[in-house]
Amino acid sequence: VPAAAPGTSGEGGIFRISPRAKGLAERSGVNPREASGTGPRGRVVEADIRRLMKDGAAAAQPAPAAAGEYEEVKLSGIRRAIARAMKESLAVSAQLTNHHSFDATSIRRCREEFKAAGGELAGVTLGDIVLFAVSRTLKNHPDFNATMPEEGTLRRYRTVNLAVAVDTPRGLVVPVIFGADKKSLIEISKEAKELAAAARSGSISPDLLQGGSFTVSNLGALGVESFTPVLNPPQTGI
């Protein structure tokens, strides 16, 4: 029988623990002196440490809420799909976010001029202007207008298929403005609104929810100034 490891507490002032129990306690991070020794002469054995670990885990569990204190809501299929996609993205993609400030004085002035002009221009929003700018800027950064269909392969697109995140009652969907780099500001503005409306009504074609080469997200309507978006695989940027 291995010699007991002496301590300063326990029956007779001696704390006894077997080497295997001591090693398990060190690996699991529990205090072996809290265990009730069931071995010879009150020695703490491996089973005592495992019992302590189990009791500690049970004690760490929150007390069940009383009936009527909560409501359980089953997630819709699309929300479950979103959750899986987000977890998968974080698990397999290198996530990097840059936050920058931008002087929007000129764009805001432009927006006011559009509103004053009336007609089709009056419906152009700041978000539409951002979409237009991104569709042009991406051509200068081909590694971002791209996807990684498989490890070690970067697929650069010759056109910008701009995916636009849209919040709907069913969850987040991302319809695509195909060939956005070849469309005017007014065309992008109209199409973005049509896609958003179709997405919210649930009538959008599945073909318009795939094939994006880059995504634009937006929480500005909620007063959010900066946030960390999650990549929409296999895209390389958002």
Short mmCIF file of all heavy atoms in Angstrom, two decimals, residues 14-38:
data_model
loop_
_atom_site.label_atom_id
_atom_site.label_comp_id
_atom_site.label_asym_id
_atom_site.label_seq_id
_atom_site.Cartn_x
_atom_site.Cartn_y
_atom_site.Cartn_z
N ILE A 14 -3.71 14.32 11.23
CA ILE A 14 -3.01 13.88 10.04
C ILE A 14 -3.99 13.79 8.87
O ILE A 14 -5.07 13.19 8.99
CB ILE A 14 -2.34 12.51 10.26
CG1 ILE A 14 -1.33 12.58 11.40
CG2 ILE A 14 -1.66 12.04 8.98
CD1 ILE A 14 -0.17 13.52 11.13
N PHE A 15 -3.63 14.39 7.75
CA PHE A 15 -4.45 14.31 6.54
C PHE A 15 -3.83 13.24 5.66
O PHE A 15 -2.68 13.34 5.25
CB PHE A 15 -4.49 15.65 5.82
CG PHE A 15 -5.21 15.59 4.49
CD1 PHE A 15 -6.59 15.44 4.44
CD2 PHE A 15 -4.52 15.67 3.30
CE1 PHE A 15 -7.26 15.38 3.23
CE2 PHE A 15 -5.19 15.62 2.08
CZ PHE A 15 -6.56 15.47 2.06
N ARG A 16 -4.59 12.20 5.35
CA ARG A 16 -4.07 11.08 4.58
C ARG A 16 -4.78 11.02 3.23
O ARG A 16 -6.00 11.09 3.16
CB ARG A 16 -4.28 9.77 5.34
CG ARG A 16 -3.46 9.66 6.62
CD ARG A 16 -3.71 8.33 7.32
NE ARG A 16 -2.79 8.16 8.44
CZ ARG A 16 -3.02 8.63 9.66
NH1 ARG A 16 -4.13 9.29 9.90
NH2 ARG A 16 -2.14 8.44 10.63
N ILE A 17 -4.00 10.88 2.17
CA ILE A 17 -4.55 10.80 0.82
C ILE A 17 -3.65 9.91 -0.03
O ILE A 17 -2.43 9.96 0.09
CB ILE A 17 -4.67 12.21 0.19
CG1 ILE A 17 -5.28 12.13 -1.22
CG2 ILE A 17 -3.33 12.94 0.17
CD1 ILE A 17 -5.63 13.50 -1.82
N SER A 18 -4.24 9.06 -0.81
CA SER A 18 -3.44 8.18 -1.66
C SER A 18 -2.84 8.98 -2.81
O SER A 18 -3.38 10.02 -3.22
CB SER A 18 -4.32 7.06 -2.23
OG SER A 18 -5.22 7.58 -3.20
N PRO A 19 -1.70 8.54 -3.35
CA PRO A 19 -1.07 9.26 -4.46
C PRO A 19 -1.99 9.42 -5.66
O PRO A 19 -2.00 10.47 -6.31
CB PRO A 19 0.14 8.38 -4.80
CG PRO A 19 0.47 7.68 -3.52
CD PRO A 19 -0.87 7.41 -2.88
N ARG A 20 -2.78 8.39 -5.99
CA ARG A 20 -3.69 8.50 -7.14
C ARG A 20 -4.76 9.55 -6.89
O ARG A 20 -5.11 10.33 -7.79
CB ARG A 20 -4.35 7.15 -7.44
CG ARG A 20 -3.39 6.12 -8.03
CD ARG A 20 -4.07 4.76 -8.14
NE ARG A 20 -5.20 4.81 -9.04
CZ ARG A 20 -5.12 4.60 -10.36
NH1 ARG A 20 -3.95 4.34 -10.92
NH2 ARG A 20 -6.20 4.66 -11.12
N ALA A 21 -5.28 9.59 -5.67
CA ALA A 21 -6.29 10.60 -5.33
C ALA A 21 -5.68 11.99 -5.36
O ALA A 21 -6.31 12.95 -5.82
CB ALA A 21 -6.88 10.30 -3.95
N LYS A 22 -4.45 12.11 -4.88
CA LYS A 22 -3.79 13.42 -4.87
C LYS A 22 -3.58 13.93 -6.29
O LYS A 22 -3.82 15.09 -6.61
CB LYS A 22 -2.45 13.31 -4.15
CG LYS A 22 -1.70 14.62 -4.05
CD LYS A 22 -0.39 14.44 -3.32
CE LYS A 22 0.37 15.76 -3.23
NZ LYS A 22 1.67 15.61 -2.55
N GLY A 23 -3.14 13.02 -7.19
CA GLY A 23 -2.93 13.41 -8.58
C GLY A 23 -4.22 13.84 -9.26
O GLY A 23 -4.26 14.83 -9.99
N LEU A 24 -5.31 13.09 -9.00
CA LEU A 24 -6.60 13.43 -9.59
C LEU A 24 -7.09 14.78 -9.09
O LEU A 24 -7.62 15.60 -9.85
CB LEU A 24 -7.62 12.35 -9.27
CG LEU A 24 -9.05 12.58 -9.78
CD1 LEU A 24 -9.06 12.72 -11.30
CD2 LEU A 24 -9.97 11.46 -9.34
N ALA A 25 -6.90 15.04 -7.79
CA ALA A 25 -7.32 16.32 -7.22
C ALA A 25 -6.57 17.48 -7.85
O ALA A 25 -7.14 18.53 -8.15
CB ALA A 25 -7.12 16.31 -5.71
N GLU A 26 -5.26 17.29 -8.07
CA GLU A 26 -4.45 18.35 -8.68
C GLU A 26 -4.90 18.62 -10.11
O GLU A 26 -4.97 19.77 -10.55
CB GLU A 26 -2.98 17.96 -8.63
CG GLU A 26 -2.39 17.95 -7.22
CD GLU A 26 -0.97 17.43 -7.19
OE1 GLU A 26 -0.52 16.86 -8.21
OE2 GLU A 26 -0.32 17.59 -6.13
N ARG A 27 -5.19 17.55 -10.83
CA ARG A 27 -5.60 17.72 -12.24
C ARG A 27 -6.98 18.36 -12.35
O ARG A 27 -7.24 19.14 -13.27
CB ARG A 27 -5.60 16.37 -12.96
CG ARG A 27 -4.22 15.76 -13.15
CD ARG A 27 -4.27 14.59 -14.14
NE ARG A 27 -5.17 13.52 -13.71
CZ ARG A 27 -4.83 12.53 -12.91
NH1 ARG A 27 -3.59 12.47 -12.41
NH2 ARG A 27 -5.69 11.59 -12.59
N SER A 28 -7.87 18.04 -11.44
CA SER A 28 -9.24 18.54 -11.52
C SER A 28 -9.43 19.88 -10.83
O SER A 28 -10.45 20.54 -11.01
CB SER A 28 -10.21 17.52 -10.91
OG SER A 28 -9.91 17.30 -9.54
N GLY A 29 -8.45 20.30 -10.02
CA GLY A 29 -8.54 21.59 -9.37
C GLY A 29 -9.43 21.63 -8.14
O GLY A 29 -9.80 22.71 -7.68
N VAL A 30 -9.77 20.46 -7.57
CA VAL A 30 -10.58 20.46 -6.35
C VAL A 30 -9.68 20.40 -5.13
O VAL A 30 -8.51 19.99 -5.21
CB VAL A 30 -11.56 19.26 -6.34
CG1 VAL A 30 -12.50 19.32 -7.53
CG2 VAL A 30 -10.81 17.93 -6.31
N ASN A 31 -10.21 20.83 -4.00
CA ASN A 31 -9.45 20.80 -2.74
C ASN A 31 -9.69 19.44 -2.09
O ASN A 31 -10.79 19.16 -1.61
CB ASN A 31 -9.93 21.92 -1.82
CG ASN A 31 -9.14 21.97 -0.53
OD1 ASN A 31 -8.25 21.15 -0.29
ND2 ASN A 31 -9.45 22.94 0.33
N PRO A 32 -8.66 18.58 -2.02
CA PRO A 32 -8.87 17.23 -1.48
C PRO A 32 -9.26 17.24 -0.01
O PRO A 32 -9.83 16.27 0.49
CB PRO A 32 -7.51 16.56 -1.71
CG PRO A 32 -6.53 17.68 -1.77
CD PRO A 32 -7.27 18.81 -2.43
N ARG A 33 -8.96 18.32 0.71
CA ARG A 33 -9.30 18.37 2.13
C ARG A 33 -10.80 18.51 2.36
O ARG A 33 -11.28 18.34 3.49
CB ARG A 33 -8.56 19.53 2.81
CG ARG A 33 -7.04 19.35 2.80
CD ARG A 33 -6.33 20.50 3.46
NE ARG A 33 -4.89 20.32 3.39
CZ ARG A 33 -4.18 19.60 4.26
NH1 ARG A 33 -4.79 19.00 5.27
NH2 ARG A 33 -2.88 19.48 4.13
N GLU A 34 -11.54 18.79 1.29
CA GLU A 34 -12.99 18.86 1.41
C GLU A 34 -13.64 17.50 1.21
O GLU A 34 -14.85 17.35 1.37
CB GLU A 34 -13.55 19.86 0.39
CG GLU A 34 -13.09 21.30 0.62
CD GLU A 34 -13.63 22.25 -0.43
OE1 GLU A 34 -14.34 21.76 -1.35
OE2 GLU A 34 -13.36 23.46 -0.34
N ALA A 35 -12.85 16.50 0.83
CA ALA A 35 -13.38 15.16 0.59
C ALA A 35 -13.50 14.40 1.90
O ALA A 35 -12.72 14.59 2.84
CB ALA A 35 -12.48 14.41 -0.38
N SER A 36 -14.48 13.51 1.96
CA SER A 36 -14.64 12.62 3.12
C SER A 36 -13.90 11.33 2.81
O SER A 36 -14.27 10.59 1.88
CB SER A 36 -16.13 12.33 3.37
OG SER A 36 -16.82 13.54 3.66
N GLY A 37 -12.83 11.05 3.58
CA GLY A 37 -12.01 9.88 3.32
C GLY A 37 -12.71 8.59 3.72
O GLY A 37 -13.15 8.43 4.86
N THR A 38 -12.81 7.66 2.79
CA THR A 38 -13.44 6.37 3.06
C THR A 38 -12.44 5.22 3.04
O THR A 38 -12.82 4.06 3.19
CB THR A 38 -14.55 6.09 2.02
OG1 THR A 38 -13.97 6.05 0.70
CG2 THR A 38 -15.63 7.15 2.07
#
